Amino acid sequence: MFSRNQTARATIARGSALEMEIRRGKFRQSVFMETPQDSDIQKKIDYEIRMREGACKLLAACSQRDQALEASKSLLTCNARIMAYMSELQRMKEAQVMQRVARRSSDAGPMDDRSPCKGKVAISGMFTEKNSGKLHRCAVFCLLQLGGEIFDTDMVMVDRTLTDICFDNTIVFNEACPGFELRVELYSCCSEEDYSAGSTPRKLASKLSSSLGRSAGKKMRAALEPGACSPTSNGGGATILLPVPSAPGPKYHLLAHTTLNVSHVQDSFRTHDLTITGNEECSYWLPLYGGVCCRLAAQPQCMTQQMMSGCLRVKLGGEPQGWTNVYGVLKGTNLFCYHQKEDMEANVEPVLTIGINKETRIRAAEKDPHSKAQNICITNQYGGEEVTHTLAADSREETQRWMEAFWQQFYDMSQWRQCCDDLMKIELPSPRKPAIVTPKQGSLYHEMGECVQTPFYTFTEAVAEFEALDCHKIKPMAPASGEGLLLQDNAVSAEIRALLSSYYNDR
């Protein structure tokens, strides 16, 4: 549970080490003043909470299996993002406190401010294999988390005839550190269960049961009454468990997972071991072979961005006066030397390219004992022969800036390792395809009226529109209008709109 200082808008875990230190008076709570970065995370949390509320409303309104499965998937993703953002916010607060304590400590030694650059990490072409045996039809998707970033793949329907479970999504994480841990979780849900009765609000269920006749209605009412183990029950002998009111409908379960890091990055497809959490007795069970194949690529910023640029003089040839003015750009594994800055901006070929890699040696040497100017010597191995290029900056301070940029580049390369050997290609994620609604599944709603098939567009758009509406004020519309009662683009089927409209008007 979190406590919030209303003045500083600080989020501190109750009972944590930070709260204990504040109580002891080791440091003031003012150190928890909210920074712009904290505010951004808080906005993300608020957004996901609104999306979660909308997902619960839409999930309660779904009668078609595919709609309910998509809504449940998005609800699980929202919950995961909220937890990830809360953890990220707590880590940021702890880092702020530790940094302030270290600065005030009298015995604290010199702090190394050098940190590796961040980069992009992309995973694509994921697929896993299973045995083609007798099993239930299941809905499967992957949830991927790297730090505070969480993404989900499209949902895939799996039956006994399907042996390869493929996820075509390309997912890119933009703020990865070289010490990243990418957790891949595979979720599954049996799609052959009927979720309509379990997700029906009690008042709507009463309305439906009364319309079925006295005998059938009494049986339905008994089945829908809370049992002894129900979260809304205070007693009773029924054994039927109702879903949590805030999240009715189908439930996804963790089937398998794995964790990938920088050592798994490779510019080709590779198979990684999965840890299986389910068993054959579970309704969501799938007989997986135990591995997932994918392409995990990375692009560190030191490989894609200019890490340093400026005017230099380079010595060409062995003549003492053979110096040429160039505009140097440090990017990736090269130092590009152009005649002028405009050539670089116009993508003109550089006049000289000097390799900067893990085997390169760089040192700063005095040009003249009586001069303050310094030379920079860069030595590489080319075909078993050492080649040294000599550069000169305009001042000692400028030379120091270049040397610091070289050391930072070497440090980034040592942390990202094989990711800096060559620039890996990362394709931009393709736009999500709208989920396709299958024909009616024979639920209770469909038995009461004819199902009108409608397109089901992006779930985020549906929830955003759904939760923005006040369902208590929904008025029935003329059948001839053809417009949706709940969503402008007919995201839910006609029988849901009619039933919910009648339900809310009677409240």
Side-chain angles (χ1 to χ4, degrees), residues 121-124 180 182 260-262 264-270 272 294-298 424:
V121 172
I123 185 169
S124 59
F180 73 86
L182 172 57
L260 308 178
N261 52 46
V262 69
H264 298 104
V265 175
Q266 185 174 324
D267 200 6
S268 60
F269 282 86
R270 181 177 174 182
H272 310 279
C294 64
R295 177 181 179 266
L296 184 65
M424 300 182 185

Side-chain angles (χ1 to χ4, degrees), residues 439-507:
K440 60 181 181 179
Q441 304 293 333
S443 66
L444 178 61
Y445 295 110
H446 293 93
E447 294 175 3
M448 297 185 63
E450 182 179 357
C451 174
V452 178
Q453 198 67 24
T454 57
F456 187 62
Y457 56 99
T458 306
F459 182 82
T460 303
E461 299 174 356
V463 172
E465 292 188 23
F466 189 92
E467 66 98 20
L469 297 176
D470 186 355
C471 294
H472 297 272
K473 298 180 180 178
I474 294 177
K475 300 296 181 182
M477 298 178 67
S481 65
E483 296 181 0
L485 291 172
L486 298 179
L487 297 179
Q488 295 297 325
D489 293 333
N490 294 327
V492 277
S493 55
E495 81 281 11
I496 295 179
R497 298 198 299 271
L499 289 172
L500 284 181
S501 177
S502 175
Y503 164 62
Y504 285 117
N505 285 334
D506 291 344
R507 291 188 63 176

Side-chain angles (χ1 to χ4, degrees), residues 343-399:
D343 292 346
M344 182 269 297
E345 296 172 348
N347 294 325
V348 178
E349 285 293 325
V351 64
L352 176 66
T353 301
I354 303 174
I356 305 294
N357 52 57
K358 301 169 186 176
E359 305 299 327
T360 302
R361 290 179 295 156
I362 298 180
R363 61 185 178 89
E366 293 287 348
K367 177 182 178 183
D368 191 314
H370 303 288
S371 173
K372 294 183 179 180
Q374 283 184 304
N375 292 340
I376 301 175
C377 298
I378 303 176
T379 303
N380 286 290
Q381 291 279 346
Y382 293 104
E385 180 182 353
E386 280 193 356
V387 177
T388 300
H389 293 89
T390 304
L391 307 174
D394 294 335
S395 64
R396 197 181 190 93
E397 292 74 17
E398 192 69 11
T399 301

Side-chain angles (χ1 to χ4, degrees), residues 225-366:
E225 284 297 323
C229 299
S230 173
T232 60
S233 170
N234 295 322
T239 58
I240 296 179
L241 298 180
L242 292 178
V244 179
S246 60
K251 296 292 187 297
Y252 283 91
H253 302 270
L254 181 62
L255 179 62
H257 64 88
T258 188
T259 302
L260 308 178
N261 52 46
V262 69
S263 63
H264 298 104
V265 175
Q266 185 174 324
D267 200 6
S268 60
F269 282 86
R270 181 177 174 182
T271 301
H272 310 279
D273 294 333
L274 282 173
T275 300
I276 309 297
T277 58
N279 55 60
E280 296 181 0
E281 297 179 357
C282 302
S283 62
Y284 59 89
W285 166 253
L286 291 175
L288 303 177
Y289 280 119
V292 58
C293 185
C294 64
R295 177 181 179 266
L296 184 65
Q299 284 185 352
Q301 291 178 357
C302 62
M303 296 291 292
T304 59
Q305 299 181 8
Q306 295 182 17
M307 306 309 291
M308 180 65 182
S309 62
C311 295
L312 292 169
R313 287 180 295 130
V314 60
K315 189 173 183 180
L316 300 177
E319 295 296 329
Q321 303 299 325
W323 292 87
T324 302
N325 292 326
V326 297
Y327 184 82
V329 176
L330 178 60
K331 179 180 178 181
T333 57
N334 293 293
L335 173 62
F336 301 101
C337 299
Y338 300 89
H339 281 299
Q340 52 189 355
K341 183 179 180 180
E342 290 73 14
D343 292 346
M344 182 269 297
E345 296 172 348
N347 294 325
V348 178
E349 285 293 325
V351 64
L352 176 66
T353 301
I354 303 174
I356 305 294
N357 52 57
K358 301 169 186 176
E359 305 299 327
T360 302
R361 290 179 295 156
I362 298 180
R363 61 185 178 89
E366 293 287 348

Side-chain angles (χ1 to χ4, degrees), residues 66 91 337 376 402 411 491:
D66 286 359
R91 284 193 296 268
C337 299
I376 301 175
W402 276 101
Y411 181 72

Side-chain angles (χ1 to χ4, degrees), residues 14-241:
R14 291 180 179 173
S16 66
L18 293 179
E19 187 184 39
M20 297 302 296
E21 294 299 324
I22 292 174
R23 289 182 178 180
R24 291 176 185 145
K26 189 170 182 179
F27 43 79
R28 297 186 302 273
Q29 193 166 352
S30 60
V31 300
F32 292 97
M33 292 296 293
E34 189 172 80
T35 64
Q37 192 174 6
D38 298 340
S39 179
D40 291 341
I41 294 182
Q42 188 61 52
K43 289 178 181 178
K44 292 180 180 178
I45 294 175
D46 295 340
Y47 173 79
E48 292 300 332
I49 290 176
R50 292 196 303 270
M51 292 299 296
R52 181 176 64 180
E53 293 173 353
C56 291
K57 293 178 183 179
L58 189 57
L59 186 57
C62 291
S63 65
Q64 299 182 27
R65 283 193 180 92
D66 286 359
Q67 289 178 337
L69 290 169
E70 284 284 352
S72 180
K73 178 173 82 77
S74 293
L75 182 60
L76 189 151
T77 304
C78 288
N79 286 329
R81 284 175 177 157
I82 291 173
M83 295 303 298
Y85 292 151
M86 295 289 281
S87 300
E88 186 73 13
L89 191 61
Q90 187 69 15
R91 284 193 296 268
M92 289 171 55
K93 294 299 182 183
E94 293 177 356
Q96 291 172 13
V97 172
M98 295 307 173
Q99 187 177 14
R100 289 173 180 264
V101 172
R103 288 177 178 176
R104 295 176 182 177
S105 177
S106 58
D107 56 351
M111 297 179 62
D112 186 9
D113 294 333
R114 192 185 302 276
S115 58
C117 67
K118 294 185 178 182
K120 293 182 179 180
V121 172
I123 185 169
S124 59
M126 286 187 296
F127 72 91
T128 184
E129 297 179 321
K130 70 171 186 64
N131 294 321
S132 56
K134 183 179 180 181
L135 54 91
H136 298 291
R137 189 167 183 262
C138 293
V140 180
F141 78 98
C142 276
L143 192 71
L144 303 101
Q145 176 176 1
L146 193 155
E149 293 184 280
I150 294 180
F151 296 96
D152 60 339
T153 66
D154 292 332
M155 183 180 67
V156 177
M157 302 304 299
V158 180
D159 55 24
R160 64 183 182 86
T161 62
L162 188 67
T163 57
D164 293 339
I165 305 175
C166 302
F167 302 99
D168 298 329
N169 308 81
T170 296
I171 296 176
V172 180
F173 300 90
N174 295 306
E175 295 293 327
C177 295
F180 73 86
E181 289 188 348
L182 172 57
R183 182 171 174 84
V184 181
E185 297 179 340
L186 184 65
Y187 285 89
S188 176
C189 174
C190 179
S191 65
E192 296 181 355
E193 300 175 359
D194 185 14
Y195 312 116
S196 57
S199 63
T200 305
R202 188 177 303 174
K203 200 167 184 180
L204 181 58
S206 176
K207 193 176 188 68
L208 292 174
S209 62
S210 62
S211 66
L212 296 177
R214 186 171 183 179
S215 176
K218 185 181 294 186
K219 293 180 181 179
M220 186 174 190
R221 276 175 140 336
L224 291 174
E225 284 297 323
C229 299
S230 173
T232 60
S233 170
N234 295 322
T239 58
I240 296 179
L241 298 180

